[in-house]
Amino acid sequence: MQGKYRALWLNDDGLLEVIDQTKLPFEYKTKVLKTTQEVATAIQDMTVRGAGVIGSVAAFGIYIASMEVDDDYEKLKEKALLIRESRPTAVNLMWAVDKMLELLKDSTDLVNDSKLYAIKLNNDEALESQKIAEYGCNIIERILVEKNKKKINILTHCNAGWLAVIDEGTALAPIYEALRRGIDVHVWVDETRPRNQGASLTAWELTQSGVNHTIIADNTGGHLMQSGEVDMVIVGADRVSANGDVANKIGTYLKALAADDNDVPFYVAIPASTFDFDIRDGVKEIPIELRSEDEVKYMRGVDSDGVVREVLITPKDSPAINYGFDVTPARLITGLITNKGVCEADFDKIQEKFRG
Ligand code: MRU
């Protein structure tokens, strides 16, 4: 299967190809994105999702846009806006678009240069993911020593693996590294309603890599923590404010509260592109995506004939509301696992490490 360790790539024809994540885990299908509009739509309808991958696709989206503007930088900026505004919460999207535009501002060959910059941006992300894997796995090893245990139970929410950030993700990267180091690791996978990124994507990824895991209903984590069945929590993030507040998939905050109440270490794994240094108070200022109520009211699955179907699971006329993300305050976070090492979720510590 091409793209097993990347959610996107340039195919043999030089076109941007992505795994269609709306089809997993039932079907492995890819999609070729050929126009700026197709890139923006793929981000909006979650053909591609996960903060890092949205940024990666956006970078290649600028390359695609450059082919539509005949070396006119002002026109490229206009096209870029369509991609930049396709989803509101994951700052990696805005970061990637802004970085590409900044790099290209004096370019005399937008098509060629944007392709090279997009490839470099993606390769840099992959290196950061590798570092996160190593630093995160060192924490896993330390917890095992401290608890004098041979097996670690890690709870994760949503999908922050290689479908979400190239090459190995953020929250799942330390788990893949643990596997390489021969550690006995088991993952509690929150199903992550309403779109079920845990049950459909994380579980699929872990199955591909042979990682021992169990899917749990979203409400189960607190009980497992009280029963001593969770040694640590690792999640990813879509935006981290300058003071260390973390926006991640809706429901993350509740897990952090339960972890705090049960002395379970709660880590957030992020590349540097997930920081938003312009925001000082994440809870008040990070924009939270509001998506269609249909994502709450309908569920997708396979029927007994093996046909993928979407079914209504609520009274037809009941209204629903669908916030995509919540914000976990810095005080509930044990540490940020970054490409530069583990950092306290604290304004001064973050400044020192990333802006010093
Ligand atoms: O709505 P999604 O599926 O794009 O949300 C993804 C998440 O919330 C992930 O946990 C997050 O992007 C961290 S992984 C980079």
Side-chain angles (χ1 to χ4, degrees), residues 46 48-54 87 90 92 157-161 164-165 170-171 195 197 201 235-238 248-250 269 271 274 289 291 324-325:
M46 292 174 70
V48 288
R49 35 63 55 204
V53 158
I54 294 174
R87 284 188 80 187
N92 310 60
H157 192 70
C158 197
N159 171 263
V165 180
T170 49
R195 288 188 65 104
Q197 288 95 326
L201 304 179
V235 295
D238 288 77
N248 191 47
K249 184 50 56 192
I250 191 83
T274 303
E289 180 176 34
R291 293 186 66 87
F325 300 90

Side-chain angles (χ1 to χ4, degrees), residues 43 49-56 58-59 83-100 121 125 164-165 236-242 245-248 270-279 282 285-289 325:
I43 294 172
R49 35 63 55 204
V53 158
I54 294 174
S56 296
I83 300 173
R84 199 180 189 280
E85 291 177 349
S86 51
R87 284 188 80 187
T89 303
V91 77
N92 310 60
L93 169 61
M94 298 86 193
W95 173 86
V97 170
D98 294 348
K99 186 167 171 115
M100 289 290 291
L121 183 142
E125 286 277 287
V165 180
D238 288 77
R239 194 184 293 226
V240 178
S241 59
D245 295 336
V246 166
N248 191 47
I270 49 162
S273 52
T274 303
F275 280 113
D276 184 343
F277 295 108
D278 293 335
I279 287 186
E285 296 173 59
I286 295 177
I288 300 297
E289 180 176 34
F325 300 90

Side-chain angles (χ1 to χ4, degrees), residues 163-178:
L163 288 166
V165 180
I166 57 170
D167 266 345
E168 286 199 321
T170 49
L172 297 191
I175 291 164
Y176 293 131
E177 176 66 13

Side-chain angles (χ1 to χ4, degrees), residues 137-142 144 149-152 154 174-175 177-186:
C137 192
N138 293 344
I139 298 173
I140 293 174
E141 284 184 335
R142 200 197 64 223
L144 282 173
K149 283 180 69 173
K150 292 260 175 297
K151 175 179 173 185
I152 189 132
I154 300 173
I175 291 164
E177 176 66 13
L179 207 65
R180 286 191 285 276
R181 293 190 199 176
I183 295 169
D184 188 359
V185 57
H186 168 259

